[in-house]
Amino acid sequence: MDLSRIAGEVTRTDYLHLYYYLRLTRGLETRITALYRQGRIVGGCYTSHGMEAVSVGYALPLESRDVIAPYHRDMGAFLIRGITPGEVIAQYLGKRTGPTKGKDGNVHIGDLKRGVIGFVSHLADNLPVATGAALAFQIRGEPRVVVTNTGDGGTSRGDFHEAMNLAAVRKLPVVFFCNNNQYAYSTPLRYQMAVQDVADRAKAYGMPAEILDGNDVAAIYVAARRAIQKARAGGGPTFLECKTMRMHGHSEHDPAKYVPQALLEEWKIKDPILKAEAMLKALGYADEADFQDIDARAKKEIEAGVEWAEQSPLPEGPETLEGVFATEEEVA
Amino acid sequence: MDLSRIAGEVTRTDYLHLYYYLRLTRGLETRITALYRQGRIVGGCYTSHGMEAVSVGYALPLESRDVIAPYHRDMGAFLIRGITPGEVIAQYLGKRTGPTKGKDGNVHIGDLKRGVIGFVSHLADNLPVATGAALAFQIRGEPRVVVTNTGDGGTSRGDFHEAMNLAAVRKLPVVFFCNNNQYAYSTPLRYQMAVQDVADRAKAYGMPAEILDGNDVAAIYVAARRAIQKARAGGGPTFLECKTMRMHGHSEHDPAKYVPQALLEEWKIKDPILKAEAMLKALGYADEADFQDIDARAKKEIEAGVEWAEQSPLPEGPETLEGVFATEEEVA
Amino acid sequence: MMTAAVHPTLSQEVTYLEAISQALDEEMTRDERVFLIGEDIGAYGGAFKITEGFLEKYGDHRVIDTPLAESGIVGAAIGAAMMGLRPVVEMQFADFISCAFDQITEVAAKNHYRWNAPVPMVIRAPFGGGVHGGPFHSECPEGWFFHSPGLKLVAPSTPYDAKGLLKAAIRDPNPVIYFEHKFLYRRIKAALPSEDYIVPIGKAEVKRPGSTISVVTYGAMVHIALDAAARLQQDGIDLEVIDLRTLIPLDTETIYESIRKTSKAIILHEDTKTGGIGAEIAALLVEECFDCLDGPVLRVAAPDTPVPFSTPLEEFFLPKISDVEEAARKLAAY
Amino acid sequence: MMTAAVHPTLSQEVTYLEAISQALDEEMTRDERVFLIGEDIGAYGGAFKITEGFLEKYGDHRVIDTPLAESGIVGAAIGAAMMGLRPVVEMQFADFISCAFDQITEVAAKNHYRWNAPVPMVIRAPFGGGVHGGPFHSECPEGWFFHSPGLKLVAPSTPYDAKGLLKAAIRDPNPVIYFEHKFLYRRIKAALPSEDYIVPIGKAEVKRPGSTISVVTYGAMVHIALDAAARLQQDGIDLEVIDLRTLIPLDTETIYESIRKTSKAIILHEDTKTGGIGAEIAALLVEECFDCLDGPVLRVAAPDTPVPFSTPLEEFFLPKISDVEEAARKLAAY
Ligand SMILES: Cc1ncc(C[n+]2csc(CCOP(=O)(O)OP(=O)(O)O)c2C)c(N)n1
Ligand SMILES: Cc1ncc(C[n+]2csc(CCOP(=O)(O)OP(=O)(O)O)c2C)c(N)n1
Ligand SMILES: [Mg+2]
Ligand SMILES: [Mg+2]
């Protein structure tokens, strides 16, 4: 997006918010990766390195009663919805203070109170669920919106199709994001689909689609805001493809040798944080000192979180047996 | 398709073949419906009344080693593949002489020797299976093709999506037909999808698509032949939407009151048999007397089949236990 | 063959199918969070006409005709349930539930355990054979879900239970699969209470007290067991017939109590034998009531095959009165 | 904890994981109908690197990297199998098999019964816990398929069986789900015969003869049982450990023979308890061997919950040596 359009569309406050969450996300995931390398993380480790703009961009325009159904590279969205860095680390460490109390791990964070639908590993499974949340809003006539996200790979699953179709047929208030980071684990896009743009998939549903620079947080923010507003106003769903690049392995154990080095180099300079900084400077919204301040603030929050999480208790064995069923009180 | 194009593309012999199978299909299904009304059929009864051109048109261009994965309104294709009217009736009556020996019924006809993949009720389930058969041909470098068919409703299922995508990505030798008869059971197309043409769905896969007059058997035949040739030559899959109308209920027990009478009237005059007759006459390929001859021949075959099927034995109870597993010999 | 148990009542007789419609209707009136979603349930009223007239009465925001996509439908119901609604999904036939298996077992069943999100929804699954449906319109899929922690399963055998259990299921804070037996739809009738009632989830019922052998069963087979009991009575074999009604959570107390009395058990189900619910009940009995067992626990169930189509095959496949009789005589003589 | 049974051999030691690779490699060389299909199995060699180097060796017509779509993959394998090929599907994790459930149970399992079409295919399903995988990377889905007539199920516990059973599965004319336990991949080693061999489907193995109690188990739990046996020996409790190896068709003869000898049985599995395979075995024992049972049949299995993520929870969840010991002591004292 060019400078003048951004200036008109994104206020300084909003852009600084976006920037803050980019840094917080980057910082937190870097910290998690470090913990992982130290062997202190339980299980695997999935990050959004280089793709932070996508979920930061889509989550910020949401209102508090809106809902997200994120996928596994949406750390920014968690943070914006109010999941704290400490909770995220606690989740990664299997602590009882994590949002899932140790029952589930890493990015499988869900919390209805904060409007976060918990991620299911089975990719695309949460897309029909997202349409269902939107259906509830439509049935009750509430001006609430759901935003969901999927990887490029996830769009190959049948549940993607069934969700997109239902959303389009019933004009549901849901916005479908796609983080097209060009790979699904080791599988490059050309083995995943025979179209150039994932956005082409929306044509099968008569759903409007847009292709965005997935590393331009302001562009994503603006497009998300527009699509959310449209959905809120009863205008139906939108599909937004964010073209970006997965800069780390599929998970942190994966050296991703199958990704050409040149591709990584090419995308390294398109880094969303660098891009945001250049923009912020060009707009006169902020300078280096601000960036350092913000980063310091983010780091402090992260370190406090790490400390809190590490001191948090683990669950105890018998808690395994709790919570298979919900109680009357919970749904009263 | 206009007259001069047809004359160039469809020989008299071929057209008479097509016509013969239209009549045979119509005659057979009319007979089955009559048996159903007499309470002599076991279970439900699904017909292709008014849509016979689709499966007759797609099946005739196939070679003997090609394979079809039909759906539940493809009686014409069964007949062209060599399933006899007697076998079809036997299948409907649950006789041991039916292709499934009474294990399954009505249109769940399958026979690997005649290149017919048995229909599975779960709609669209056989689309991935069709791509797999095509994959086998591709792997072995055999010049064989698979043709499969689905209803408009079936295209909403995830398996449709997964099959279309795999076929397109690997350029498999498979042709996807869609019998768009405007309804899925009681559900009109507009509740099924937010696009006007089912063919739009192919865009999600980068798959070429065509829209055909589903009641013009010659047009279907020509388009099928072309798509099959293309697939055989390694040119990949095609999606062919046939616009037609379901002239009976979903199954014979369904009065289909949800279909506007005017729509039925409109399509009644587009009947594929009437259309073929008009064309055959206009082309100078045949006259009324020929039609009557052909119909008489079809009727005779059908009556012989009914007789044979009725005299055929039912399976015996303990046969229930046979055939859960295949033996070594069967796959040697 | 079928005679429904008589319950104290004021209303006129309704079929099992009408009882289901009534439950839906009353719950939709009682609680505006309840809505219906499925294929052909609107203008058409559903393949079995259970929701006939509902679209007119409740409008297309509460009676939602969907595209043909079971996974998408169940997923949508899950999402709506988490947002506070009470979806009731109709599978056109229980057989097609396999298309939604992933959503049911991985999402609906595990959401509360994993992240405390209640999923109060009901999936109505018209199941069972005896209707010439063949392999794909006769299945008993309950065995799969019986082995999926997080789900509740119910399977009524009478109009009374059909209504009361469906209401209980709709009011339950968890995902419940409601197995309604197609064979019973129009074959049994009963007069029902005119006031609101539920049949609590988790409670079996002794349908017929007896002293010789306990027959533990559910669904259409309850009637087979009762018929077998009637036949055996003259020979002094006095069957106690337990209708489970709820499959998960299982009312083990009622089962154990019966076996403590009779010391002998037959488990009867229409579902295939290996790995069926009967296996679990037999295992529980030998685990928990070993000392009071006075003979093997016998299972009468369908053989391990798909449901065949042709009449003689389907008759052979389905458990019959004579199968129960035979097992009972064998066990009585033990 | 893990020591593999030693088999007569000439080759150097290989892990369970390498044994699987070897089986695939040898079968692909032996029979050109065999091909591999799945996600990330080509250039990447699969999530667990089992097919590393296969793409280079066999080419992209026999090592097929697919889009992310389990139902489509299994469906394609079914189609290819019916056309005479021998597909081996890799599920990236067994957990994702739920996405292909419909294709497996409705199409693959029923095709031969319904219309005589053999579906000779293998689905490799890396299953089981103990790897900090949480609810969606630790599942034991075998219970569902155990109740789906038309499928064969195998679950090797050693490198020897891993190789031999995979070869047998590939050569079998039916759909076979091959449950390979992720926890064992790199934790156990054994030297294998250098010549071609198979482990026949349908044959259990007595892994340790004993006289006090029979422990019937499979997969990673075989090692737990053996370790428990070692511990109990000093107390005079002599466990006989039976490794089922094949779950369907079940080798009931070997099980019954053992119980006829010991009169007491424990069934041990990592899968959740209710409706698990242990239920069927217990039911069979009480049905077929009632007279030789000298105590209840006990089941040691995971509780009826999803697999929890956090270490203390997962440890609590998984059946342990001490659980087997406890059950054995209880039963021995019976
Ligand atoms: C149904 C399913 N199949 C397989 C997997 C294993 N898996 C986890 S992530 C992944 C790749 C995802 O690619 P994409 O959707 O593009 O998301 P990305 O990780 O690239 O952001 C795979 C195959 C899964 N989680 N779910
Ligand atoms: C997965 C699945 N869900 C539901 C059904 C029940 N059903 C049978 S046919 C049908 C409508 C099919 O419509 P369409 O695909 O358009 O085919 P048509 O019958 O119109 O030719 C439905 C819903 C089914 N067979 N399979
Ligand atoms: Mg990706
Ligand atoms: Mg249709």
Side-chain angles (χ1 to χ4, degrees):
Chain A
M1 228 163 48
D2 63 41
L3 220 53
S4 62
R5 249 195 82 201
I6 297 185
E9 300 250 33
V10 188
T11 64
R12 176 170 182 273
T13 314
D14 286 345
Y15 215 140
L16 285 176
H17 253 110
L18 292 167
Y19 180 73
Y20 171 72
Y21 282 111
L22 285 180
R23 295 294 316 218
L24 188 65
T25 304
R26 174 75 52 92
L28 179 58
E29 293 192 330
T30 303
R31 193 68 171 82
I32 290 168
T33 305
L35 287 168
Y36 178 80
R37 299 237 165 88
Q38 293 162 19
R40 286 159 72 197
I41 290 289
V42 183
C45 189
Y46 309 87
T47 65
S48 63
H49 281 285
M51 303 161 284
E52 297 91 344
V54 179
S55 80
V56 168
Y58 81 60
L60 204 68
L62 289 166
E63 296 182 4
S64 70
R65 296 195 63 229
D66 292 336
V67 166
I68 62 169
Y71 94 126
H72 58 278
R73 304 208 192 274
D74 287 357
M75 184 59 75
F78 289 133
L79 296 169
I80 290 173
R81 296 303 296 183
I83 311 290
T84 66
E87 286 178 290
V88 172
I89 307 270
Q91 171 86 354
Y92 261 103
L93 298 175
K95 295 299 180 81
R96 193 195 278 134
T97 52
T100 66
K101 305 192 237 169
K103 294 287 180 56
D104 207 334
N106 52 63
V107 290
H108 294 241
I109 289 171
D111 182 357
L112 281 183
K113 290 202 193 66
R114 288 179 275 191
V116 179
I117 292 181
F119 175 65
V120 179
S121 286
H122 300 60
L123 295 169
D125 272 21
N126 261 349
L127 301 180
V129 174
T131 65
L135 179 65
F137 302 158
Q138 186 186 66
I139 287 174
R140 288 194 296 237
E142 292 171 342
R144 295 165 70 186
V145 173
V146 184
V147 176
T148 186
N149 195 8
T150 169
D152 43 293
T155 68
S156 294
R157 276 211 55 233
D159 273 17
F160 166 82
H161 179 73
E162 300 192 4
M164 292 284 287
N165 192 45
L166 185 69
V169 167
R170 292 198 70 92
K171 280 184 160 281
L172 296 176
V174 52
V175 179
F176 293 92
F177 265 84
C178 175
N179 174 326
N180 175 3
N181 58 16
Q182 309 181 53
Y183 283 85
Y185 208 151
S186 75
T187 306
L189 203 65
R190 68 182 179 283
Y191 293 159
Q192 194 68 245
M193 57 192 78
V195 287
Q196 286 292 321
D197 300 311
V198 185
D200 283 342
R201 298 208 149 170
K203 293 180 188 164
Y205 315 101
M207 193 187 295
E210 247 179 277
I211 296 171
L212 306 171
D213 175 351
N215 287 14
D216 182 345
V217 74
I220 294 168
Y221 172 74
V222 169
R225 191 175 56 190
R226 194 169 45 228
I228 290 166
Q229 270 163 5
K230 181 179 171 190
R232 205 185 301 288
T238 306
F239 184 81
L240 295 168
E241 174 186 358
C242 301
K243 294 208 192 275
T244 180
M245 178 67 207
R246 202 190 69 206
M247 299 303 290
H248 280 203
H250 165 63
S251 72
E252 292 302 324
H253 80 268
D254 168 23
K257 299 217 185 87
Y258 47 82
V259 178
Q261 201 52 39
L263 192 61
L264 292 171
E265 301 295 339
E266 177 195 330
W267 282 85
K268 198 168 176 185
I269 52 178
K270 300 187 198 164
D271 183 88
I273 293 185
L274 295 181
K275 182 164 240 152
E277 289 178 351
M279 283 290 188
L280 283 162
K281 281 198 255 181
L283 288 161
Y285 281 178
D287 61 17
E288 275 307 330
D290 297 320
F291 302 152
Q292 276 168 31
D293 273 6
I294 289 173
D295 191 35
R297 186 148 61 88
K299 288 246 167 65
K300 216 172 123 193
E301 206 181 322
I302 293 163
E303 287 318 310
V306 172
E307 201 170 311
W308 176 80
E310 292 199 322
Q311 282 164 11
S312 286
L314 285 167
E316 287 177 21
E319 291 171 38
T320 298
L321 304 177
E322 294 170 8
V324 174
F325 289 110
T327 60
E328 292 289 346
E329 296 69 50
E330 292 176 74
V331 296
Chain B
M1 232 165 44
D2 63 42
L3 221 54
S4 62
R5 248 193 82 202
I6 297 184
E9 300 249 34
V10 188
T11 64
R12 177 171 182 272
T13 314
D14 285 345
Y15 215 140
L16 286 176
H17 253 111
L18 292 167
Y19 180 73
Y20 170 72
Y21 281 110
L22 286 179
R23 295 293 321 218
L24 188 64
T25 303
R26 174 74 54 92
L28 178 57
E29 292 192 329
T30 304
R31 194 68 171 81
I32 290 167
T33 304
L35 287 169
Y36 178 81
R37 300 234 165 88
Q38 292 162 19
R40 286 159 72 197
I41 290 290
V42 183
C45 188
Y46 309 87
T47 65
S48 63
H49 280 284
M51 304 161 283
E52 296 91 343
V54 179
S55 80
V56 167
Y58 82 60
L60 203 69
L62 289 166
E63 294 181 5
S64 69
R65 296 195 64 228
D66 293 335
V67 166
I68 61 170
Y71 94 126
H72 58 277
R73 304 206 194 272
D74 288 357
M75 184 58 76
F78 288 134
L79 296 169
I80 290 173
R81 297 305 295 183
I83 311 290
T84 65
E87 287 178 288
V88 173
I89 307 270
Q91 171 85 354
Y92 261 103
L93 298 176
K95 296 298 179 81
R96 192 196 278 133
T97 52
T100 66
K101 304 192 240 169
K103 293 288 179 53
D104 208 333
N106 50 64
V107 290
H108 294 241
I109 290 170
D111 182 356
L112 282 182
K113 291 203 192 67
R114 288 179 276 191
V116 179
I117 292 180
F119 174 64
V120 179
S121 287
H122 300 60
L123 295 170
D125 272 21
N126 260 349
L127 300 181
V129 174
T131 66
L135 178 64
F137 301 157
Q138 186 185 69
I139 287 175
R140 287 194 297 235
E142 293 172 340
R144 295 164 71 185
V145 173
V146 183
V147 176
T148 188
N149 196 8
T150 169
D152 43 293
T155 68
S156 293
R157 276 211 54 234
D159 273 18
F160 167 82
H161 180 73
E162 299 192 5
M164 291 284 285
N165 193 44
L166 185 68
V169 167
R170 292 198 70 93
K171 280 184 161 280
L172 296 176
V174 52
V175 179
F176 292 91
F177 266 83
C178 174
N179 174 327
N180 175 3
N181 58 17
Q182 310 183 51
Y183 282 85
Y185 208 148
S186 75
T187 307
L189 203 66
R190 69 181 178 284
Y191 293 158
Q192 194 68 245
M193 57 191 79
V195 287
Q196 285 292 321
D197 300 310
V198 185
D200 284 341
R201 299 208 149 170
K203 292 181 188 163
Y205 316 101
M207 194 187 294
E210 246 178 276
I211 297 172
L212 306 171
D213 174 349
N215 287 13
D216 183 346
V217 74
I220 294 169
Y221 171 73
V222 169
R225 191 175 57 192
R226 194 169 45 229
I228 289 166
Q229 271 164 4
K230 182 179 171 191
R232 203 185 302 288
T238 306
F239 184 81
L240 294 168
E241 175 187 358
C242 301
K243 294 208 191 275
T244 179
M245 179 67 207
R246 202 190 69 204
M247 299 303 290
H248 280 203
H250 166 63
S251 71
E252 292 303 323
H253 79 268
D254 168 23
K257 299 216 185 88
Y258 47 81
V259 178
Q261 200 53 40
L263 193 61
L264 292 171
E265 302 294 339
E266 178 195 330
W267 281 86
K268 198 167 174 184
I269 53 178
K270 300 188 197 163
D271 184 87
I273 293 185
L274 295 181
K275 183 166 240 154
E277 290 178 351
M279 284 290 187
L280 283 162
K281 280 197 255 181
L283 288 161
Y285 281 179
D287 60 19
E288 275 307 330
D290 296 320
F291 302 151
Q292 276 169 31
D293 272 6
I294 289 173
D295 191 36
R297 186 149 60 88
K299 288 246 167 66
K300 215 173 125 194
E301 206 180 323
I302 293 162
E303 287 318 309
V306 172
E307 200 171 314
W308 176 80
E310 293 200 320
Q311 282 166 11
S312 287
L314 285 165
E316 287 177 24
E319 290 171 39
T320 297
L321 305 176
E322 294 169 9
V324 174
F325 289 111
T327 61
E328 292 290 348
E329 296 69 51
E330 291 176 74
V331 296
Chain C
M1 150 201 163
M2 303 276 155
T3 17
V6 180
H7 292 271
T9 165
L10 295 166
S11 83
Q12 64 176 145
E13 295 216 320
V14 296
T15 61
Y16 181 95
L17 184 142
E18 287 161 343
I20 296 170
S21 293
Q22 281 190 2
L24 292 174
D25 189 17
E26 290 175 19
E27 289 304 295
M28 287 184 80
T29 298
R30 186 188 62 80
D31 182 351
E32 65 172 18
R33 297 172 304 176
V34 179
F35 77 98
L36 311 183
I37 182 166
E39 296 158 9
D40 305 297
I41 62 168
Y44 192 60
F48 297 102
K49 302 288 177 187
I50 282 176
T51 58
E52 188 145 48
F54 279 58
L55 178 66
E56 294 72 16
K57 183 162 176 187
Y58 295 104
D60 67 1
H61 268 55
R62 293 183 70 198
V63 181
I64 295 180
D65 246 330
T66 65
L68 203 164
E70 284 75 9
S71 189
I73 294 167
V74 170
I78 294 169
M82 291 196 303
M83 293 302 120
L85 294 184
R86 298 290 177 114
V88 182
V89 175
E90 175 174 300
M91 287 285 143
Q92 202 155 86
F93 284 80
D95 310 61
F96 306 133
I97 206 168
S98 54
C99 300
F101 186 82
D102 173 58
Q103 283 287 343
I104 297 171
T105 61
E106 303 305 303
V107 190
K110 297 189 167 88
N111 265 0
H112 190 267
Y113 186 78
R114 290 174 49 239
W115 60 284
N116 311 305
V119 183
M121 66 186 278
V122 177
I123 300 175
R124 288 181 36 235
F127 80 131
V131 296
H132 301 306
F136 297 129
H137 289 75
S138 313
E139 291 184 56
C140 288
E142 65 271 24
W144 293 326
F145 300 103
F146 189 73
H147 186 58
S148 304
L151 303 174
K152 295 188 178 181
L153 313 181
V154 298
S157 71
T158 65
Y160 182 87
D161 290 348
K163 183 168 179 181
L165 277 171
L166 184 48
K167 286 178 162 241
I170 290 171
R171 298 177 196 183
D172 198 276
N174 292 287
V176 182
I177 310 184
Y178 177 90
F179 291 99
E180 49 191 68
H181 204 293
K182 297 190 298 287
F183 185 79
L184 301 179
Y185 274 160
R186 296 188 165 87
R187 284 187 177 83
I188 56 174
K189 277 194 160 200
L192 303 184
S194 46
E195 61 281 0
D196 181 48
Y197 72 94
I198 66 154
V199 170
I201 291 182
K203 285 263 158 262
E205 187 183 38
V206 178
K207 269 271 180 285
R208 180 190 194 279
S211 57
T212 324
I213 299 168
S214 305
V215 181
V216 181
T217 187
Y218 60 92
M221 291 294 121
V222 169
H223 304 278
I224 297 283
L226 291 172
D227 287 351
R231 286 206 205 166
L232 287 162
Q233 189 154 29
Q234 60 216 47
D235 298 338
I237 299 175
D238 186 24
L239 298 187
E240 172 144 315
V241 177
I242 297 177
D243 179 358
L244 289 173
R245 305 197 293 190
T246 294
L247 307 177
I248 298 276
L250 206 53
D251 182 358
T252 49
E253 256 331 294
T254 300
I255 302 172
Y256 297 162
E257 202 177 302
S258 175
I259 274 70
R260 276 185 219 115
K261 184 172 72 172
T262 62
S263 302
K264 285 179 176 166
I266 291 172
I267 303 148
L268 166 66
H269 58 60
E270 185 183 324
D271 194 3
T272 55
K273 185 176 180 189
T274 297
I277 291 172
E280 178 64 32
I281 296 172
L284 286 171
L285 289 179
V286 69
E287 227 163 29
E288 305 289 340
C289 301
F290 185 72
D291 290 330
C292 61
L293 279 180
D294 215 19
V297 177
L298 298 185
R299 287 178 289 165
V300 177
D304 291 333
T305 75
V307 187
F309 170 77
S310 185
T311 311
L313 303 181
E314 192 183 14
E315 275 171 11
F316 183 91
F317 175 87
L318 292 172
K320 281 167 287 295
I321 300 172
S322 57
D323 297 329
V324 181
E325 273 190 82
E326 197 183 311
R329 287 186 202 283
K330 192 171 145 190
L331 204 51
Y334 192 87
Chain D
M1 153 202 165
M2 303 274 154
T3 17
V6 179
H7 291 271
T9 166
L10 295 166
S11 82
Q12 64 177 141
E13 294 215 322
V14 297
T15 62
Y16 181 94
L17 185 142
E18 288 161 342
I20 296 169
S21 294
Q22 281 190 2
L24 292 175
D25 190 16
E26 291 176 19
E27 289 302 296
M28 286 183 81
T29 298
R30 188 189 60 80
D31 182 350
E32 64 172 19
R33 295 172 305 176
V34 179
F35 77 99
L36 310 183
I37 182 165
E39 295 159 9
D40 305 297
I41 63 168
Y44 192 61
F48 297 101
K49 301 289 178 188
I50 282 176
T51 57
E52 189 145 49
F54 279 58
L55 179 66
E56 294 72 16
K57 184 163 175 187
Y58 296 104
D60 67 1
H61 267 56
R62 293 184 68 196
V63 180
I64 295 180
D65 246 330
T66 64
L68 203 164
E70 285 74 10
S71 189
I73 294 167
V74 170
I78 293 168
M82 291 198 301
M83 294 301 120
L85 293 184
R86 297 291 177 115
V88 181
V89 175
E90 176 175 297
M91 286 286 144
Q92 201 156 85
F93 284 79
D95 310 61
F96 306 134
I97 206 167
S98 54
C99 301
F101 187 82
D102 173 57
Q103 283 288 343
I104 297 171
T105 60
E106 304 304 304
V107 190
K110 297 189 169 87
N111 265 0
H112 189 267
Y113 185 77
R114 290 173 50 241
W115 59 283
N116 311 306
V119 184
M121 66 185 279
V122 178
I123 300 175
R124 288 181 37 235
F127 80 131
V131 296
H132 301 304
F136 297 129
H137 290 75
S138 312
E139 292 184 55
C140 288
E142 65 270 24
W144 293 327
F145 301 103
F146 189 72
H147 186 58
S148 305
L151 304 173
K152 293 187 178 180
L153 313 181
V154 299
S157 71
T158 65
Y160 181 87
D161 289 349
K163 183 167 178 180
L165 277 172
L166 184 47
K167 286 178 161 242
I170 291 171
R171 298 177 197 183
D172 197 276
N174 293 286
V176 181
I177 310 184
Y178 177 89
F179 291 98
E180 48 191 70
H181 204 293
K182 298 191 297 288
F183 185 80
L184 301 179
Y185 272 161
R186 296 186 167 87
R187 283 187 177 85
I188 56 174
K189 278 196 161 197
L192 302 184
S194 47
E195 60 282 359
D196 180 49
Y197 72 94
I198 65 155
V199 171
I201 291 182
K203 284 263 158 260
E205 188 181 36
V206 178
K207 269 271 182 281
R208 181 191 193 279
S211 57
T212 323
I213 298 168
S214 304
V215 180
V216 181
T217 187
Y218 59 93
M221 290 295 122
V222 169
H223 304 278
I224 296 284
L226 291 172
D227 287 352
R231 288 207 205 164
L232 287 162
Q233 188 152 30
Q234 59 216 47
D235 298 338
I237 298 175
D238 186 24
L239 298 188
E240 171 144 315
V241 176
I242 296 178
D243 180 358
L244 289 174
R245 305 199 293 190
T246 295
L247 307 178
I248 299 274
L250 206 54
D251 182 358
T252 48
E253 255 331 293
T254 300
I255 302 172
Y256 297 163
E257 201 177 305
S258 175
I259 275 71
R260 275 185 221 117
K261 184 172 70 173
T262 61
S263 301
K264 285 178 176 166
I266 292 171
I267 303 150
L268 166 66
H269 57 61
E270 184 183 326
D271 193 3
T272 54
K273 185 177 180 189
T274 297
I277 291 172
E280 178 64 31
I281 296 171
L284 286 172
L285 289 179
V286 68
E287 228 163 29
E288 305 289 340
C289 302
F290 184 72
D291 290 329
C292 61
L293 280 179
D294 217 18
V297 177
L298 298 184
R299 285 178 291 166
V300 177
D304 292 332
T305 75
V307 187
F309 171 76
S310 185
T311 311
L313 303 181
E314 192 183 14
E315 276 170 11
F316 182 91
F317 175 87
L318 292 173
K320 282 168 286 295
I321 299 171
S322 57
D323 297 329
V324 181
E325 272 190 84
E326 196 183 309
R329 287 186 203 284
K330 190 170 145 190
L331 204 51
Y334 193 86

